């Protein structure tokens, strides 16, 4: 079996948003939408800080679809548009999506976005990987773990471009892989572990 996953080292993340922008370009994500967001822990604003000057602290928290093993979005989808594939990724069949947004309501991570209007892209044409399907108005979309790249044994672009090397990608079912070793590190954890969704994206630090 294969269980593709990403580990994110929060001690290395510098909040540069390179992963979010690379994801947007790779996957032809329209203006006003992101599949990969960089939040600031304990803050209501992007790039905020906690504490009072001069004792300020800032911890970045990248958030994307967690590709849960027990995915609430898949259970909520009435048409089977959301499904788990053979590599453990949670994917969306856009032809089956009816835009009911039940998956968005079910996702504990607020990781999905909806095309309310005809997608707008600047500079006015599709960009990124030509293998990525173009999504129309009225469907839900999200991180696919760069399916088109990972099907060809490439790493997701967010992992490839991270300047701080904060992201590790691999197969959790391979005990000798770097990501399997990362999962055993002290401090390795999932977001909202109490939800029982068993995410395949996890955090270190």
């Amino acid at each position: 079996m294969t269980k593709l996953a990403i580990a994110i080292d929060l001690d290395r993340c510098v909040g540069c948003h390179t992963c979010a922008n690379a994801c947007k370009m790779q996957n032809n994500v329209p203006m006003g939408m992101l599949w990969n967001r960089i939040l600031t822990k304990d803050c209501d604003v992007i790039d905020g800080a906690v504490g009072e000057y001069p004792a300020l602290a800032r911890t970045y928290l990248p958030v994307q679809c967690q590709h849960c093993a027990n995915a609430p979005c898949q259970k909520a989808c009435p048409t089977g548009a959301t499904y788990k594939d053979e590599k453990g990724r949670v994917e969306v069949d856009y032809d089956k999506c009816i835009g009911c947004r039940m998956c968005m309501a079910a996702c504990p991570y607020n990781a999905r976005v909806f095309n309310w209007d005809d997608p707008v892209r600047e500079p006015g044409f599709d960009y990124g990987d030509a293998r990525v399907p173009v999504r129309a108005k009225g469907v839900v979309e999200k991180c696919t773990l760069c399916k088109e790249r990972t099907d060809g044994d490439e790493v997701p672009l967010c992992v490839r471009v991270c300047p701080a090397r904060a992201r590790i990608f691999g197969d959790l079912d391979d005990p000798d892989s770097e990501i399997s070793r990362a999962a055993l590190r002290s401090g390795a954890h999932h977001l909202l572990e109490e939800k029982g969704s068993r995410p395949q994206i996890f955090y270190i630090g």
Side-chain angles (χ1 to χ4, degrees):
M1 294 293 291
T2 300
K3 189 186 292 184
L4 298 181
I6 293 177
I8 303 173
D9 189 335
L10 298 179
D11 293 330
R12 297 187 67 94
C13 178
V14 297
C16 65
H17 299 262
T18 301
C19 55
N21 286 305
C23 170
K24 190 175 185 75
M25 293 303 299
Q26 162 70 19
N27 295 291
N28 197 25
V29 179
M31 299 301 108
M33 298 169 63
L34 289 171
W35 288 5
N36 198 329
R37 297 167 292 136
I38 312 303
L39 307 181
T40 312
K41 286 183 74 173
D42 302 318
C43 292
D44 294 330
V45 295
I46 294 175
D47 292 333
V50 295
E52 294 185 14
Y53 179 83
L56 296 171
R58 177 184 291 156
T59 301
Y60 293 104
L61 180 65
V63 178
Q64 64 198 70
C65 173
Q66 303 289 296
H67 294 274
C68 304
N70 185 24
C73 57
Q74 182 182 9
K75 294 176 182 177
C77 179
T79 66
T82 294
Y83 65 97
K84 290 281 289 184
D85 72 7
E86 72 284 353
K87 294 187 177 181
R89 299 169 297 200
V90 176
E91 302 291 354
V92 179
D93 183 333
Y94 303 113
D95 292 330
K96 291 182 178 179
C97 179
I98 59 173
C100 68
R101 305 186 301 284
M102 293 297 291
C103 58
M104 295 179 72
C107 176
Y109 307 99
N110 194 27
R112 290 172 172 247
V113 289
F114 184 69
N115 283 298
W116 289 98
D117 301 300
D118 290 323
V120 174
R121 296 178 175 89
E122 295 176 3
F125 52 80
D126 292 338
Y127 41 76
D129 194 322
R131 298 170 294 178
V132 176
V134 177
R135 286 82 59 197
K137 175 182 176 180
V139 299
V140 174
E141 55 185 76
K142 64 169 199 66
C143 162
T144 64
L145 273 185
C146 283
K147 183 181 188 313
E148 292 73 24
R149 291 176 60 87
T150 51
D151 276 349
D153 296 324
E154 297 177 90
V155 301
L157 199 60
C158 64
V159 177
R160 173 71 179 82
V161 302
C162 179
R165 298 184 181 176
R167 290 173 174 250
I168 301 166
F169 173 76
D171 180 5
L172 280 174
D173 278 351
D174 177 0
D176 297 321
S177 66
E178 183 180 3
I179 196 161
S180 291
R181 293 192 296 272
L184 297 175
R185 284 192 209 171
S186 175
H189 64 282
H190 296 105
L191 292 183
L192 306 177
E193 291 184 270
E194 70 278 6
K195 297 291 185 182
S197 54
R198 303 199 315 274
Q200 287 171 215
I201 309 296
F202 63 94
Y203 298 81
I204 304 164

